[in-house]
Amino acid sequence: MGERRSYPGVPVVVAPPWRGGRPEDHRLPSVRGLVSADFTVVGAGLAGLSTAYHLLRYAPGADVAVVDAGHPAVGASGHGTGLLGPRAGPPVDRAIRRFGPDTARRMHRASEDAVADALELCRTLDVPVRTGEQLVVARSPEGLARLSGQSAAYRALGLDVPPLSAAGVRERIDVPCQAGLLHRQAATLDPARLTAALARVCVANGARLYGRSPVVGRSGTGSGGTRLVFPRGELRTGAGVFAVNGGAGALGLPVGTVAPLEVHAIATEPLKPTVREALGEGSGAALVDVARLAPYFRLTPDGRLVVGGGRASLPGRPPGTGGARKDDRARLATWRWLAERMRGLHPLLAETAVTHQWTGRIGVTLDDLPVVGPLVGTPEMWFIGGCCGHGLALSIAHGAYVARQLVGGGEGGGPALPWHRSAAPTLPLGGAGRVVLRRYLDRLDRNVRCRTQP
């Protein structure tokens, strides 16, 4: 399952506890020699495989290639925490101020549609899900003010996101909170299992899946297509998508700044039935603290508590700064902090052991909006990324959307996403820009720790 290390307390596995697995990557061929495809998907995560899946639905018999630098689910899709719920872009009250009420309403409803489509896909692929509610809660005066603003915004837009009193929250999950908001349609699932199921059905429907094939160059073919270069070969494609999220910068894609942030999670030993019941097993509810980067949690089918949140970091410190050691220390500190927050959620968790801890990389943008659109200068190649931590439902929806556009040639592919665009705002991730972003993340981290002290 992953590398086993010993930290103070108990030995832990440095990997998620998912049982869904992934396709056996050693069986995947790499790109060798000269190959071609009608459509090529770079990135075998949820967004990329959703694109391939829907391409084969909309254009049966199309020659579709999916290429990954590693293997399916090696990135965020295999390391997410499995909370499926509505959210796209900034919080709803901020979305109203920035984009106006009509766009804010469209954004939220599009995210609700994405949840419904993800649930339907799970049913089609026979991937187990636990449907339930998602509670967004306030556990501090500052959080209560933030929650009140969002609640008023939902009411003003006529959206069905009712407020909950402290008692209403505790009826579902026995954790002290000042108030909450209720998202009725939500679920929890194993994201690696969903990714693996998508990979299998894509191959069964005729897609070619390549692993261990990082893109090292790209150029036009001179005939309206794109040439992708790999260490041992090249692939020429008529159209496709880079579903590489925070890897856009490393590939030099002209999509603005989609920063790769490292986020953290832990999972506990299987809990006793009384503890699981106190934490919402009966209702299937998951809890998200309204404070940014504050802890959130959900239960797994085998009774573990998965907790995510805390410090997010920009990986890859500059040479000469002891970067690897600093990153390791930051990970350990965040995992310990999450364990402390977990044990402070309920008295019954006071002696609970952590058995798994891991990190995953998400893609974030400076304005909180995803990037889904054709590359500037290469309109036959699209980009998907920057879901800012809300990618489980959105990635699936983005894949379906891009597949429609590619099959329709960009025309007649249905209504545009509210956040359809080719690039995010730019902040260079080297030099001064990197320093600015690190300071911003450090400030968020300090604020979260102060707000969520037990």
Side-chain angles (χ1 to χ4, degrees), residues 81-87 133-140 143 146-147 150 154 164 169 173 175-183 186-188 279 284-299 305-310 345 388-390 452:
T81 47
L83 275 73
L84 182 70
R87 169 78 183 268
E133 301 167 334
Q134 189 173 102
L135 312 181
V136 179
V137 305
R139 305 189 68 204
S140 68
R146 188 188 298 259
L147 197 78
Q150 293 181 23
Y154 284 124
L164 291 175
V169 172
I173 298 179
V175 171
C177 299
Q178 298 197 18
L181 289 170
L182 175 63
H183 294 288
T188 58
L279 295 176
L287 182 145
V288 180
D289 194 309
V290 73
R292 190 166 186 177
L293 302 181
Y296 55 89
F297 72 80
R298 62 99 164 186
L299 290 166
L305 187 68
V306 172
V307 183
L345 285 171
C388 301
H390 304 287
T452 59

Side-chain angles (χ1 to χ4, degrees), residues 83-139:
L83 275 73
L84 182 70
R87 169 78 183 268
V92 62
D93 51 343
R94 196 183 310 161
I96 291 175
R97 293 193 295 270
R98 284 171 52 186
F99 311 119
D102 290 342
T103 299
R105 186 183 298 107
R106 285 180 59 223
M107 288 170 62
H108 183 77
R109 286 182 171 162
S111 75
E112 290 182 322
D113 291 342
V115 172
D117 291 345
L119 290 173
E120 179 60 30
L121 179 64
C122 288
R123 284 189 286 269
T124 300
L125 301 182
D126 197 25
V127 173
V129 297
R130 176 71 188 276
T131 57
E133 301 167 334
Q134 189 173 102
L135 312 181
V136 179
V137 305
R139 305 189 68 204

Side-chain angles (χ1 to χ4, degrees), residues 367-386:
D367 58 3
D368 295 321
L369 291 175
V371 179
V372 184
L375 295 182
V376 174
T378 317
E380 73 276 8
M381 295 298 295
W382 284 55
F383 177 79
I384 298 174

Side-chain angles (χ1 to χ4, degrees), residues 305-325:
L305 187 68
V306 172
V307 183
R311 179 187 179 91
S313 59
L314 186 63
R317 295 175 186 265
T321 62
R325 291 190 300 275

Side-chain angles (χ1 to χ4, degrees), residues 346-364:
H346 195 283
L348 293 174
L349 292 170
E351 303 300 323
T352 300
V354 172
T355 57
H356 296 75
Q357 54 196 25
W358 69 99
T359 63
R361 289 190 182 181
I362 63 173
V364 301

